Amino acid sequence: MAESSIDISMVTNSEMEGVPSSQPPSNSDGATQQTLEELVGRAIAPIKREFLRPPPPSRTTQNDAASDANSNANAKQSQSSLVKEKKSKRQLKRERRQEQKSSLNLCPEIAKTGDVNACPYKNKCRFSHDIQAFMAQKPADLEGECPFVRADAPCPYGLACRFAGTHKDGASAASVNVLKKSSEVNGLSKDVQKLLWKNKMRFTKADAVIKSLGLTGPNWKIKKLVDKEEDKVVSNGSHAVSETECKLVANDSVDCSECPPTFSPADNVEEACASDELRPSKKAKSVVDEKCCSDEVENDATVLEKDVEKNSTETESVHTADDILAEPDRSLKIHPREKKLIDFREKLYLAPLTTVGNLPFRRVCKILGADVTCGEMAMCTNLLQGQASEWALLRRHSSEDLFGVQICGAHPDTVARTVELIDKECTVDFIDINMGCPIDIVVNKGAGSSLLTKPLRMKGIIEAASGTVDKPITVKVRTGYFEGKNRIDSLIAEIGSWGATAVTIHGRSRQQRYSKLADWDYIYQCVRKAPSMLQVLGNGDIFSYLDWKNHRSDCPELSTCMIARGALIKPWLFTEIKEQRHWDISSGERLNILKDYVRFGLEHWGSDRKGVETTRHFLLEWLSYTCRYIPVGLLDVIPQRLNWRPPSYYGRDDLETLMASDSAADWVRISEMLLGKVPDGFTFAPKHKSNAYDRAENG
């Protein structure tokens, strides 16, 4: 996990073709002299004067031209979207099939063997069988060795592999599949996926726990309001229930704003997910009422249970999430102290990071010293609907020895069912529930940080999840919803009694998003109020080993610190913390880390055309963060702070200058050094705007 863990190799001249050379000016008399205090006060990185360079003179003109180009592109895109909207579903499906039939997509079975007769579907196959046409349009092979050519095992992508020239003959394709399956787990089987698609999966444990907690029926809110424990939450100064909500409960009415819209099971699953990402699992169409919430049932039994019991006598059998075990005794509820606990103290925890925190990135962080890893946030309803893209977020590599998954849901029943399903189908050490996500599409559906305004709902979700499985349930929250109105300190004592074994506090509100500095003093305050059985982790602005060390020394009760954006910008931060030093990493060492990521990405997403471009896409997303790193040797003041904005500067060599660029075109050039030329018409724009601040809610 030290420097020696990374193979240090310098960049060849061929790799650096077209890279602008570093030309540090001999003096900077034209630049305005500013003191270090002024620079740091303005959040500008204090870079040594000999490395500073003036900003590009035509930047304003370029921005104007880029904005005009973007506006024109947006106009064309809007027009094309309108044209697409006019097409029928059947027509769109026909176009997708035609694209699959094109020479770009060779049948996987034929690609593996090179035999046209290898495909069992013959003329009914959705892919092309024309090997000559495929080879005629296939791009040239990439430099390097195929990541799957090991132990004399052939590549599973065969002719479609972009490293086909390095393939070896003599082994069966099944050996590669066994090798890949042994290194990655938590895949969704086709049988379970079909049951989820048909709504024929029963959740015995989850439904029993939901019923025992009184979270079923139209009057469950009234039951919770008169509960003594909930009275404590409301009376401790926290604005737990609004006046409007109290009126709704008193009138025995249903808050339909929190009720996800229902839909017909005949609708296309993908279209349904696109229209309502956070909707609970589909109900039987014969009994679904448009006014029913996801947690409403009749006669204390779920609609899904009724439908399954009715269909159980038919020829097609109905499976349960727990086929072997009988329905659990509702009186034997597991106490939080009886659960298997994970000791997070002193462990380096890589935060679950949307988009960039994928499996290849986590493998890189494990090599560099991370102890605990967690998968990307997955939406509960998408998992319950059997979406393959959502289940891919739960994949785990064999190197991740302490691994958890993070889920996000708005209702106790959907979260409980998801937890039960994950417990049966996946191998995880803990399950984290996200109650701090600030993304609008998540918050508007009542999930994520929206739950910070609904402690009753928080309690129901945590109790339902912890009562369903034996695995530790952890929670990730923010300080509060609105800036200046922190509230987790009033709930921290209750979270442990609800069943959570650990809670991670991000020191910002939902309204802050990722702007301003994290409030670690408030995190310390919450840690000291937490019960002894509840582990509390801090999160926010960890960017050097001194940050991690100071937080641990300032608050010894703090279990550990979760590392998020700091790992995105400099993943070797884990090595710095373990070795207690600042690592002045060279550009060659940084390039080797990127090479490791590309190799892991090709193993995970594939070495064919689609896999290479998927790897390139996620590499570019990561490079949009790594460009913010400023080498230690270039700074007048160390360590670098996470909120510092670097001015234009030269690196110590050409590659370091290129890596410091904030231009997407330069990121693409780095990707071409590792994955070859981009396809014609390729464009890239980073997905995340991490510094966004919601000023519309400033009231």
Side-chain angles (χ1 to χ4, degrees):
M1 290 176 290
E3 283 184 67
S4 58
S5 63
I6 301 175
D7 180 25
I8 301 176
S9 63
M10 299 309 295
V11 189
T12 62
N13 293 331
S14 60
E15 289 175 328
M16 289 303 301
E17 289 181 358
V19 178
S21 60
S22 300
Q23 299 176 355
S26 58
N27 57 66
S28 56
D29 295 336
T32 303
Q33 180 71 23
Q34 300 184 60
T35 63
L36 296 179
E37 292 77 7
E38 291 175 346
L39 291 174
V40 174
R42 297 170 55 192
I44 299 177
I47 295 178
K48 295 179 180 179
R49 296 187 63 190
E50 59 266 25
F51 293 101
L52 290 175
R53 68 174 180 180
S58 59
R59 169 161 291 189
T60 305
T61 306
Q62 292 175 355
N63 290 340
D64 294 339
S67 61
D68 294 339
N70 290 335
S71 61
N72 295 333
N74 292 334
K76 293 180 180 179
Q77 185 177 3
S78 61
Q79 292 177 0
S80 61
S81 62
L82 292 176
V83 174
K84 289 183 179 179
E85 289 177 359
K86 295 180 181 179
K87 296 181 180 180
S88 64
K89 297 179 183 178
R90 183 174 299 178
Q91 185 176 0
L92 293 173
K93 185 177 181 179
R94 189 184 303 115
E95 291 179 357
R96 289 195 298 268
R97 290 290 177 88
Q98 291 176 354
E99 183 180 357
Q100 288 179 335
K101 275 287 187 181
S102 68
S103 59
L104 293 173
N105 298 284
L106 186 65
C107 175
E109 295 297 328
I110 295 178
K112 289 179 183 178
T113 61
D115 183 6
V116 181
N117 299 320
C119 179
Y121 299 101
K122 305 300 180 182
N123 295 332
K124 296 182 180 180
C125 181
R126 295 180 300 171
F127 301 97
S128 172
H129 287 188
D130 192 344
I131 297 179
Q132 293 182 351
F134 173 79
M135 297 302 295
Q137 58 79 38
K138 181 185 175 184
D141 286 353
L142 300 176
E143 296 181 2
E145 187 180 26
C146 175
F148 297 102
V149 179
R150 297 177 183 175
D152 296 329
C155 173
Y157 297 94
L159 298 175
C161 179
R162 295 293 306 277
F163 304 88
T166 63
H167 288 174
K168 302 176 182 178
D169 299 329
S172 63
S175 59
V176 176
N177 294 332
V178 172
L179 178 64
K180 189 172 182 179
K181 289 180 180 178
S182 63
S183 61
E184 293 186 13
V185 295
N186 295 351
L188 180 62
S189 65
K190 287 295 182 182
D191 294 337
V192 175
Q193 188 179 39
K194 290 178 181 179
L195 291 174
L196 294 173
W197 284 350
K198 296 178 181 180
N199 242 357
K200 293 188 176 181
M201 175 73 77
R202 291 181 59 186
F203 302 92
T204 309
K205 290 183 179 180
D207 293 344
V209 170
I210 289 292
K211 187 175 180 179
S212 65
L213 293 174
L215 299 180
T216 59
N219 297 325
W220 73 273
K221 287 186 178 181
I222 297 179
K223 295 179 182 179
K224 303 312 290 180
L225 282 178
V226 300
D227 187 77
K228 294 182 180 180
E229 295 182 5
E230 291 299 316
D231 289 341
K232 295 179 181 179
V233 177
V234 177
S235 62
N236 65 358
S238 62
H239 37 289
V241 184
S242 63
E243 183 178 358
T244 305
E245 185 176 354
C246 292
K247 291 180 180 179
L248 290 175
V249 174
N251 295 332
D252 194 16
S253 59
V254 178
D255 185 3
C256 295
S257 64
E258 300 174 3
C259 302
T262 58
F263 62 100
S264 172
D267 294 339
N268 184 275
V269 174
E270 295 182 358
E271 180 184 355
C273 298
S275 62
D276 192 354
E277 183 181 0
L278 295 171
R279 178 183 51 251
S281 57
K282 298 182 289 184
K283 308 297 180 183
K285 63 180 179 180
S286 59
V287 293
V288 170
D289 184 12
E290 293 182 357
K291 297 181 181 179
C292 291
C293 295
S294 65
D295 39 24
E296 288 182 14
V297 294
E298 297 178 0
N299 299 326
D300 292 333
T302 62
V303 173
L304 183 60
E305 253 186 351
K306 290 183 176 181
D307 185 54
V308 170
E309 291 175 359
K310 180 179 178 181
N311 294 335
S312 61
T313 58
E314 298 178 0
T315 56
E316 186 174 4
S317 61
V318 178
H319 297 261
T320 68
D322 189 5
D323 290 328
I324 301 177
L325 298 177
E327 184 172 349
D329 188 350
R330 300 172 188 174
S331 63
L332 301 178
K333 182 179 178 181
I334 300 176
H335 193 274
R337 294 187 179 181
E338 299 177 5
K339 287 178 175 289
K340 176 185 176 182
L341 299 180
I342 296 178
D343 188 4
F344 290 101
R345 288 177 298 180
E346 302 294 333
K347 289 184 173 62
L348 302 184
Y349 189 165
L350 173 64
L353 302 164
T354 305
T355 303
V356 193
N358 43 61
L359 185 143
F361 176 77
R362 298 197 303 269
R363 289 183 64 182
V364 169
C365 293
K366 284 295 295 182
I367 292 176
L368 294 171
D371 297 320
V372 185
T373 55
C374 187
E376 302 175 63
M377 183 183 73
M379 306 310 303
C380 290
T381 49
N382 294 345
L383 294 174
L384 293 175
Q385 290 170 356
Q387 290 189 26
S389 59
E390 205 74 12
W391 277 88
L393 304 178
L394 309 184
R395 300 284 291 181
R396 175 184 187 175
H397 191 262
S398 57
S399 63
E400 299 180 273
D401 48 357
L402 189 51
F403 173 78
V405 295
Q406 186 182 72
I407 60 175
C408 184
H411 302 274
D413 59 341
T414 55
V415 174
R417 291 181 175 188
T418 304
V419 165
E420 180 179 357
L421 185 61
I422 291 175
D423 186 45
K424 295 300 177 184
E425 299 298 326
C426 300
T427 304
V428 299
D429 298 302
F430 63 94
I431 300 175
D432 186 69
I433 303 177
N434 188 311
M435 295 185 176
C437 178
I439 301 176
D440 292 338
I441 192 174
V442 175
V443 173
N444 293 340
K445 298 298 182 180
S449 57
S450 175
L451 294 171
L452 298 176
T453 65
K454 305 171 184 178
L456 304 180
R457 183 78 63 84
M458 287 180 64
K459 177 181 180 181
I461 289 175
I462 297 175
E463 285 185 337
S466 61
T468 302
V469 296
D470 298 339
K471 287 185 172 60
I473 299 296
T474 63
V475 182
K476 191 171 188 292
V477 298
R478 285 179 173 248
T479 59
Y481 191 89
F482 296 104
E483 185 176 2
K485 297 181 180 179
N486 298 331
R487 66 175 315 172
I488 290 301
D489 60 316
S490 62
L491 300 174
I492 193 72
E494 303 291 340
I495 292 177
S497 62
W498 294 342
T501 59
V503 57
T504 302
I505 303 176
H506 185 173
R508 293 181 176 90
S509 65
R510 186 262 170 176
Q511 192 176 14
Q512 284 181 260
R513 302 292 179 100
Y514 299 94
S515 65
K516 302 184 180 181
L517 297 177
D519 189 354
W520 277 90
D521 290 334
Y522 180 75
I523 295 178
Y524 301 156
Q525 178 184 346
C526 295
V527 171
R528 296 183 179 100
K529 288 186 177 181
S532 58
M533 61 178 291
L534 180 66
Q535 299 183 74
V536 182
L537 294 73
N539 174 225
D541 301 338
I542 305 294
F543 200 54
S544 70
Y545 82 90
L546 291 177
D547 295 332
W548 193 88
K549 181 179 179 181
N550 292 336
H551 293 317
R552 293 285 296 115
S553 60
D554 292 344
C555 185
E557 299 88 352
L558 187 71
S559 296
T560 189
C561 301
M562 179 182 284
I563 303 173
R565 283 187 298 165
L568 292 178
I569 299 175
K570 43 181 285 189
W572 54 92
L573 174 59
F574 299 104
T575 303
E576 292 185 345
I577 294 175
K578 289 200 169 181
E579 298 183 358
Q580 294 290 290
R581 67 182 179 93
H582 297 297
W583 184 0
D584 189 8
I585 189 171
S586 67
S587 60
E589 292 171 315
R590 292 170 65 186
L591 183 65
N592 284 324
I593 293 177
L594 297 180
K595 288 180 178 179
D596 287 341
Y597 177 83
V598 168
R599 178 166 55 87
F600 297 153
L602 294 175
E603 292 178 2
H604 179 62
W605 290 300
S607 59
D608 60 344
R609 176 183 59 87
K610 183 178 179 181
V612 168
E613 294 311 313
T614 301
T615 303
R616 187 194 306 276
H617 170 78
F618 286 105
L619 172 64
L620 292 172
E621 290 285 356
W622 185 24
L623 290 175
S624 68
Y625 287 93
T626 59
C627 66
R628 306 180 194 179
Y629 170 72
I630 305 172
V632 175
L634 275 62
L635 290 172
D636 276 324
V637 178
I638 57 175
Q640 177 185 353
R641 307 302 302 172
L642 191 60
N643 65 328
W644 282 358
R645 301 187 305 275
S648 297
Y649 67 93
Y650 293 100
R652 291 167 293 189
D653 54 50
D654 297 338
L655 181 58
E656 195 167 74
T657 302
L658 182 65
M659 289 180 170
S661 174
D662 59 355
S663 171
D666 289 329
W667 306 337
V668 172
R669 292 163 71 183
I670 295 176
S671 75
E672 290 180 333
M673 295 165 56
L674 303 170
L675 292 168
K677 293 293 183 181
V678 298
D680 295 336
F682 178 85
T683 58
F684 172 75
K687 181 178 179 180
H688 289 276
K689 297 180 180 179
S690 61
N691 290 326
Y693 181 81
D694 196 349
R695 299 186 183 276
E697 300 176 358
N698 203 15

